[in-house]
């Protein structure tokens, strides 16, 4: 399984978590080539900034290995755009995503 880690910062924890979970839910329901393990969703306060750091595990279905890097970039862009759509009213909002390991509490 692959892991996608997302940082939602410069926003309070509750709206950040709600926006993240709603955005992941939209992607899980609308992208048939991305199989998200909803039980793997992990959200915690981001200690360095106001906000959250979150992650989920996923796999691709019917996407060849050589095209998965491109698919990952679009998945990251989609998640970031959905979160920003939910929190459009927060002017200092920053959302970044990266594949890899969650750097909080060793998860």
């Amino acid at each position: 399984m692959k892991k996608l880690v997302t940082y939602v910062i410069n926003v309070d924890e509750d709206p950040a978590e709600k926006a993240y979970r709603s955005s992941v839910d939209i992607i899980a329901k609308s992208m048939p080539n991305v199989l998200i393990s909803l039980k793997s969703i992990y959200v915690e306060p981001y200690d360095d900034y106001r906000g959250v750091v979150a992650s989920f595990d996923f796999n691709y279905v019917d996407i060849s290995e050589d095209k998965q890097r491109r698919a990952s970039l679009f998945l990251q862009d989609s998640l970031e755009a959905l979160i920003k759509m939910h929190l459009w009213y927060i002017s200092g909002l920053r959302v970044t995503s990266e594949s890899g390991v969650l750097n909080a509490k060793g998860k």
Side-chain angles (χ1 to χ4, degrees), residues 16-90:
E17 182 173 354
K18 287 177 185 173
Y20 177 81
R21 288 185 182 277
S22 178
S23 299
V24 171
D25 190 49
I26 290 169
I27 289 173
K29 290 178 180 175
S30 64
M31 293 184 160
N33 288 20
V34 179
L35 180 62
I36 296 175
S37 171
L38 296 176
K39 291 183 179 184
S40 72
I41 294 175
Y42 180 78
V43 181
E44 72 173 24
Y46 189 36
D47 294 335
D48 296 342
Y49 296 95
R50 192 178 95 216
V52 298
V53 58
S55 68
F56 62 83
D57 296 332
F58 69 98
N59 272 326
Y60 290 115
V61 179
D62 297 329
I63 298 179
S64 63
E65 282 287 325
D66 60 327
K67 297 193 186 214
Q68 288 186 11
R69 179 173 163 77
R70 184 170 163 87
S72 291
L73 293 174
F74 285 114
L75 175 61
Q76 290 175 16
D77 290 346
S78 298
L79 181 61
E80 290 175 23
L82 286 168
I83 293 169
K84 288 177 182 178
M85 180 188 71
H86 285 291
L87 300 172
W88 61 269
Y89 54 90
I90 298 173

